Amino acid sequence: MSFLTTVHYYYSLRKNLNYSRKKILALREKKFRKLLKYAYKKIPFYKDFYTSNGIKESMLEEIPIYELPTINKNLIVANFDKFFKDNQITKNKVEDFLKNNPNPTSLLFNKYHVIHSSGSTGTVGYYLYSEKEWDFIKAISTRMFSNFTLKRKKYAFIGAVDGHYAAISLFLSPLNQPEEFFYKGYMVMDINKPIKSYLKDLNDFQPDNLTGYPFGIRSLAQFQNEGILNIHPEVIVCGGEPLLKNVKQFLKDVWKDTEIVDSYATSESLAMGVSREDLKGMYIYDDAVYLEIQEDKTILTNLYNYTQPIVRYELTDILKKSKDNEGKWPFTKIEQITGRNELIPFFINENGEKDFIHPIVIAEFFVKGVAKFQFVQKDQSSFVFKIVVSQKEPLDEIVEEVRNKLNDILEKKKMQNVNFDVKIVEDIKPDEKTGKYKLIVI
């Protein structure tokens, strides 16, 4: 039934592209009110949270969205077990699942997709989606392609691959499903391994579609520019981090006939928006998310996730609306997204070559009992990994597992010559000048 559900969503979402702006806003409002009422009635956290803020059930039909209190990652972490109608979902069970099931295609209780991320905050968060909600995400993801067809193609991915990360989870989700038929072949490249080690196989594979983190794809473009790589993808989809203008231009200079796509997503909502060349800008999926764009932050309501409702959630992303009102789609048009950039630590590896550890590999770091962390580079041969530890877990075991995970990262990158210390701290405070938390300090 999963494939049929995806097809149903696909045609339903396709109709929305032809709606008027007024009709899209009405649809968004309708979906928001439905979700809000469900959260109040079925999700213990929201009933308590709204009641304590003087909000009654009778007010939900008309209360302006901006009068509802906002939530953030810290609130979700502190009240995790109360965010679900299904009371078998607990933080401890999710952490045990992630620890014992690193394969991104595995499901919690055989029915929930689990995504984990620290994002740019350093605080570890967990986000769950039902299979039906996952089907919705797959359907709306077809908007990334200007000429989506059912033709079988070869797909390649470069990014973090050894855990329940958003991008690889979506990339592999067709496997063992009817839609796997449309994967003529697929290739996965771990960004935490030397990229050079994949070039021969990638030349042999010749992907039609290349997906991954912009920094990784830019590295491939550099090898293409040097004549070491020789591939000609029809489409390149970038996601997971900002696609900077100079990087996009470099990709276009290298692959002139390739369509460059920028997909906007977060762990809290894997479907947020897209920028395509034919769209001449980025559009937010107003039929899937309700974004309140403010000067210093963005507030997200995920309109399709009823497993773990996210209502008025504070994102650190800063969006700037486009002044162009004559858009191709009836959605909110965006000029740019800021506030997501992370520094990239470079080290000298075992071969004396300069190489990097991708920020998302650090952001997606997971060890049960580690509540918060920060990567501090000292020089090109050493770093300190600061951790805030849950008091419920044995410290020695946590530190040992953290060291093992970091050693695994370094081994894959041929950086076992790089030294590091694991430092337990009481808290990790924001930068004194900016007031913002830094996941990576260099």
Side-chain angles (χ1 to χ4, degrees):
M1 293 299 290
S2 177
F3 179 65
L4 294 177
T5 305
T6 302
V7 172
H8 167 75
Y9 281 136
Y10 169 75
Y11 283 106
S12 175
L13 289 164
R14 197 174 174 184
K15 290 178 185 176
N16 295 349
L17 300 179
N18 297 317
Y19 283 177
S20 66
R21 177 65 176 161
K22 183 178 180 181
K23 193 168 182 179
I24 284 295
L25 292 179
L27 176 63
R28 185 180 70 175
E29 182 69 16
K30 181 180 178 181
K31 286 187 172 186
F32 169 69
R33 294 297 163 184
K34 182 180 177 183
L35 178 75
L36 181 63
K37 292 172 186 176
Y38 175 87
Y40 192 96
K41 293 177 181 178
K42 303 293 185 180
I43 307 300
F45 170 80
Y46 286 106
K47 179 69 177 293
D48 295 343
F49 188 51
Y50 289 155
T51 301
S52 67
N53 281 274
I55 298 169
K56 301 175 182 178
E57 186 176 348
S58 59
M59 301 166 63
L60 300 182
E61 186 63 46
E62 296 183 356
I63 186 171
I65 188 171
Y66 56 81
E67 289 187 10
L68 293 167
T70 60
I71 63 173
N72 55 38
K73 183 181 285 187
N74 289 333
L75 261 181
I76 292 181
V77 170
N79 299 275
F80 186 81
D81 295 358
K82 296 181 179 180
F83 267 86
F84 305 91
K85 178 185 176 184
D86 187 344
N87 57 22
Q88 69 176 327
I89 301 173
T90 66
K91 185 180 179 183
N92 193 54
K93 287 179 181 177
V94 170
E95 289 180 336
D96 284 341
F97 167 78
L98 290 171
K99 181 178 180 179
N100 298 319
N101 300 274
N103 187 327
T105 64
S106 56
L107 303 179
L108 176 67
F109 307 134
N110 292 315
K111 61 179 180 177
Y112 296 116
H113 294 265
V114 180
I115 302 297
H116 72 79
S117 175
S118 69
S120 58
T121 67
T123 299
V124 181
Y126 312 111
Y127 305 95
L128 277 65
Y129 299 86
S130 70
E131 292 195 76
K132 186 177 179 182
E133 290 151 4
W134 201 258
D135 290 337
F136 179 90
I137 295 165
K138 287 192 288 186
I140 205 168
S141 295
T142 61
R143 287 178 176 172
M144 294 187 290
F145 307 104
S146 60
N147 186 27
F148 177 73
T149 69
L150 296 179
K151 180 182 176 183
R152 299 182 74 219
K153 295 183 179 182
K154 291 190 284 186
Y155 294 83
F157 172 84
I158 181 167
V161 304
D162 57 350
H164 289 256
Y165 316 126
I168 187 63
S169 296
L170 271 176
F171 181 81
L172 294 178
S173 61
L175 301 187
N176 302 315
Q177 300 290 333
E179 56 261 43
E180 185 177 358
F181 170 80
F182 302 109
Y183 270 26
K184 189 175 181 180
Y186 70 94
M187 178 177 175
V188 172
M189 294 170 281
D190 187 347
I191 201 164
N192 202 42
K193 289 184 178 179
I195 291 176
K196 275 186 179 180
S197 66
Y198 290 107
L199 300 184
K200 182 182 182 304
D201 289 341
L202 193 56
N203 275 330
D204 293 340
F205 184 66
Q206 289 295 313
D208 301 304
N209 183 306
L210 176 62
T211 302
Y213 306 156
F215 191 84
I217 293 176
R218 191 203 182 286
S219 299
L220 292 175
Q222 186 62 47
F223 287 120
Q224 178 93 6
N225 203 38
E226 294 170 4
I228 303 171
L229 185 65
N230 184 23
I231 61 173
H232 305 280
E234 298 171 9
V235 180
I236 291 175
V237 179
C238 296
E241 63 190 28
L243 176 58
L244 303 177
K245 286 184 179 179
N246 63 324
V247 174
K248 184 177 181 180
Q249 187 58 54
F250 180 63
L251 298 183
K252 199 63 184 175
D253 289 344
V254 172
W255 288 296
K256 292 180 174 57
D257 298 325
T258 299
E259 182 181 2
I260 310 298
V261 177
D262 184 9
S263 176
Y264 177 37
T266 65
S267 297
E268 295 86 355
S269 173
L270 303 188
M272 296 276 279
V274 70
S275 171
R276 296 190 330 223
E277 292 176 14
D278 63 311
L279 296 177
K280 294 180 171 46
M282 174 171 282
Y283 285 91
I284 299 302
Y285 300 145
D286 291 328
D287 52 352
V289 294
Y290 194 142
L291 292 191
E292 300 167 72
I293 299 172
Q294 301 185 358
E295 194 172 323
D296 60 342
K297 62 187 172 186
T298 299
I299 300 175
L300 161 71
T301 298
N302 182 327
L303 298 174
Y304 60 88
N305 189 341
Y306 281 72
T307 299
Q308 183 183 4
I310 303 291
V311 182
R312 301 207 76 217
Y313 178 94
E314 294 182 7
L315 295 173
T316 56
D317 296 358
I318 299 173
L319 278 60
K320 183 179 179 183
K321 285 186 180 180
S322 173
K323 296 177 182 177
D324 176 14
N325 294 319
E326 299 300 320
K328 185 173 182 178
W329 284 352
F331 300 149
T332 303
K333 194 172 184 181
I334 297 299
E335 273 188 17
Q336 63 184 35
I337 301 171
T338 59
R340 306 187 104 200
N341 294 330
E342 288 290 351
L343 297 171
I344 298 177
F346 280 84
F347 296 95
I348 303 299
N349 67 16
E350 297 161 22
N351 300 322
E353 299 170 333
K354 193 175 183 181
D355 202 353
F356 65 92
I357 296 177
H358 197 279
I360 291 183
V361 172
I362 298 169
E364 309 295 9
F365 187 91
F366 171 76
V367 167
K368 184 179 179 181
V370 175
K372 200 171 185 180
F373 55 84
Q374 185 180 61
F375 186 102
V376 182
Q377 182 174 10
K378 295 170 68 178
D379 50 42
Q380 290 191 321
S381 62
S382 65
F383 65 90
V384 174
F385 199 75
K386 296 181 179 180
I387 61 173
V388 177
V389 177
S390 167
Q391 297 301 312
K392 299 177 183 178
E393 306 293 334
L395 292 181
D396 292 346
E397 291 181 16
I398 291 174
V399 171
E400 183 180 2
E401 189 168 354
V402 168
R403 293 192 66 85
N404 289 339
K405 287 270 188 179
L406 292 172
N407 278 322
D408 286 344
I409 290 172
L410 295 176
E411 183 180 1
K412 285 182 180 179
K413 270 292 187 182
K414 298 191 183 302
M415 290 182 182
Q416 288 179 290
N417 57 305
V418 173
N419 299 310
F420 67 88
D421 291 319
V422 177
K423 186 177 181 181
I424 299 175
V425 295
E426 288 187 11
D427 193 16
I428 299 173
K429 300 187 181 300
D431 182 87
E432 291 183 2
K433 292 182 180 179
T434 65
K436 294 182 178 180
Y437 170 83
K438 289 185 177 181
L439 177 67
I440 299 169
V441 177
I442 297 178

